Amino acid sequence: MKILVAVKRVVDSNVKVRIKPDGSDVDVAGAKMGINPFDENAVEEALRLKERGLASEVVAVSLGTAACQDVLRHALAMGADRAILVETDLQLQPLGIAKLLKAVVEREQPGLIILGKQAIDDDAGQTGQMLAALLGVGQGTFISALEVLDGEIRVTREIDGGTETLALRLPAVVTADLRLNEPRYVKLPNLMLAKKKPIQTYNAAEFGIDASPRLKQLNVAHPPFRKPGIMVNSVQELVEKLRVEAKVV
Amino acid sequence: MNSLILAEHDGHKLKPATYRAVTAAQRWQSPVHILVVGHSIAAIAQEAAAIHGVARVMLLDAAALAHPLAEDVADLIVRLSRAYQVILAPHTAFGKNVLPRVAALLDVAMLSDVMTILGPKTYVRPIYAGSVHVTVESADTVQVLTVRASSFAMAATGNGAPIVTLAISAETSPATSYGVRWLGATHNVSGRPDLVSARVVISGGRSLGSTAQFQAVLAPLAEKLGGALGATRAAVDAGFAPNDIQVGQSGVVVAPELYIAVGISGAVQHTAGMKDSRVIVAINHDADAAIFQVADYGLVADLFEAVPALTEALK
Ligand SMILES: Cc1cc2nc3c(=O)[nH]c(=O)nc-3n(C[C@H](O)[C@H](O)[C@H](O)COP(=O)(O)OP(=O)(O)OC[C@H]3O[C@@H](n4cnc5c(N)ncnc54)[C@H](O)[C@@H]3O)c2cc1C
Ligand SMILES: Nc1ncnc2c1ncn2[C@@H]1O[C@H](COP(=O)(O)O)[C@@H](O)[C@H]1O
């Protein structure tokens, strides 16, 4: 079974994102970039399945500018066999990404497709479900465990109030929660080796798919600051403030 | 044209988030219909019919839908979609699972975790773990969105909207044809109020050290204040707290009257889920902890002494 893993290039989770002076967009020029954390869990899960003899090949795919090669190299250094870059300068949104991923799936015919549950830049959490819908296959979202059986998988999903277990016939789409696994560290020699692994590049236009944005960004802003608080010196003072000032207890 | 809300319930009761979604849907000033899907849910349909601002309840009650799967619910909504210009659900695990599927099948974009509805196609939503708010305008004719429950008030009750029973045959289940089967679920029963709508939330971090201490230190305070328990990702990853009470970017978002952060460092991924609370209290033994920047009242203290003392002082 071949596994396809979608990896997005995003601003590192530790970066404090700035806003352009005109408020039109975020300013991420020069910011540290990397693989979306949830997608690292997705790659890790695919590699573990391969290492247990349950998958034959792990293919990483990323959509965006040529800069996305760095996250594909990261996936290759973790152990992915090969990588695909779908290159475009278009501002991509989940629906367009799902359409382009569908075209990749049709070419590659993977048995299992793993995405992250959300990208930490747009925080949309949509692409996996959209891809499953477009492919006409089942979906297992926000998964924290995955088991491969004969022709199907069993997944544990993190839901409100607990967990849920589903069986999905393959091919299927799943989206990884951070609790799915602990991604391995990439060792330097592997990063060197990854440079030799192939990255196949398509121009997104080749697919003849309309992936243009449907949502227009009007402006961005930092949320209003909370009014500065105070430090109290004792539990007694805290209770006093909560009773008299905040009137909340 | 009408607006359709996908109701969220637990098989017994409507979730408070649904009442909040009804408030959000009023923004379009068109009739609001609520879709209730499940099995043996007549009482839940009655609850939905009682919400002010609801014009019609659509009930699909079938044994095959006892544990509704995204594939089936999305298909159902798409079949009903011709009558709707707005399709929305609370931004919960259920809504997040179903609505992107609906949007893709309708070939429209989707808006996740909408905090403000500025106009019929213009929204404010968080990006980058809530450190940035973006205003976006949709170009699509049908609006598909999930709304942040804590950003909208609870709708009042006392209404008596008509309930329309839908008859859909089970043999058209896409989940069945795609080979998706529900196998089981685990439920964390706490006996405390629903986290998302609780008036008070007491959250603990990794510093609580163990499941036993998490409970021993925080539960009496939650009990005293009638609050819900929350946790950081670090506390959940360590196994001290169940996954469904993780507050933050990749967990749930809460905005209670009072949020007490106990032994929590204050990473943006955590504050993304609580910084709109009305009053925030932080207890941390590190005076430089980032959590104090969002706190109204900060106390530098050892949590193992301060929290029991606080519980005692509130008696
Ligand atoms: C993609 C991504 C998504 C994430 N999503 C979330 C999310 O949804 N929610 C979330 O919470 N996190 C999330 N995180 C993790 C987040 O970045 C932080 O790592 C996490 O919130 C830290 O949890 P913590 O405060 O419990 O632990 P720590 O950061 O380790 O902080 C522990 C704190 O406890 C204090 N302390 C220790 N002992 C005591 C004591 N005896 N008395 C008083 N204070 C004490 C310390 O001073 C310290 O400030 C995410 C991270 C990533 C990368
Ligand atoms: N540009 C992209 N390239 C590859 N994968 C992507 C891209 N955008 C989103 N994804 C995948 O879709 C998941 C969810 O993204 P989102 O719906 O934007 O929150 C991510 O975790 C990735 O696995």
Side-chain angles (χ1 to χ4, degrees), chain A residues 13 37-38 120 178, chain B residues 204-207 231-235 246-251 263-267 269-270 283-286 289 301-304:
Chain A
S13 62
F38 298 89
I120 61 163
L178 296 171
Chain B
R206 170 183 2 233
S207 52
T232 65
R233 176 187 161 202
Q246 178 177 314
V247 171
Q249 179 187 24
S250 52
I264 291 176
S265 59
Q269 291 85 8
H270 182 76
I283 300 173
N284 194 305
H285 68 185
D286 174 7
D302 184 289
L303 72 92
F304 294 103

Side-chain angles (χ1 to χ4, degrees), chain A residues 202-221:
Chain A
Y202 294 101
N203 186 323
E206 283 172 48
F207 294 124
I209 287 165
D210 178 13
S212 52
R214 302 286 187 83
L215 300 173
K216 189 167 139 202
Q217 181 168 310
L218 301 182
N219 63 66
V220 297

Side-chain angles (χ1 to χ4, degrees), chain A residues 78-90:
Chain A
M78 284 177 76
D81 297 294
R82 60 191 174 85
I84 297 171
L85 171 64
V86 179
E87 209 176 328
T88 174
D89 290 330
L90 272 181

Side-chain angles (χ1 to χ4, degrees), chain A residues 24 34 45 53 58 112 125 144 147 168 177 187 197 219 221 228 248:
Chain A
S24 63
E45 197 63 18
V58 175
L112 177 63
S144 58
E147 207 187 324
L168 303 169
D177 188 86
K187 298 190 199 91
K197 292 189 187 174
N219 63 66
V248 75

Side-chain angles (χ1 to χ4, degrees), chain A residues 142-184:
Chain A
F142 332 136
I143 66 164
S144 58
L146 186 157
E147 207 187 324
V148 178
L149 300 155
D150 194 23
E152 74 174 25
I153 53 172
R154 284 187 184 191
V155 297
T156 304
R157 306 182 53 232
E158 297 208 337
I159 58 168
D160 296 328
T163 62
E164 179 182 71
T165 312
L166 300 179
L168 303 169
R169 190 173 70 216
L170 298 174
V173 175
V174 298
T175 72
D177 188 86
L178 296 171
R179 269 179 286 281
L180 181 57
N181 53 47
E182 184 80 47
R184 65 198 62 192

Side-chain angles (χ1 to χ4, degrees), chain A residues 6-8 36 38-39 61-64 92 94 97 101 114-119 122-128:
Chain A
V7 296
K8 185 176 190 184
N36 183 45
F38 298 89
D39 305 354
V61 56
S62 193
L63 287 64
L92 290 172
I97 293 164
L101 284 174
I114 316 182
L115 290 83
K117 86 161 178 179
Q118 82 195 67
D122 67 11
D123 281 331
Q126 302 170 1
T127 309

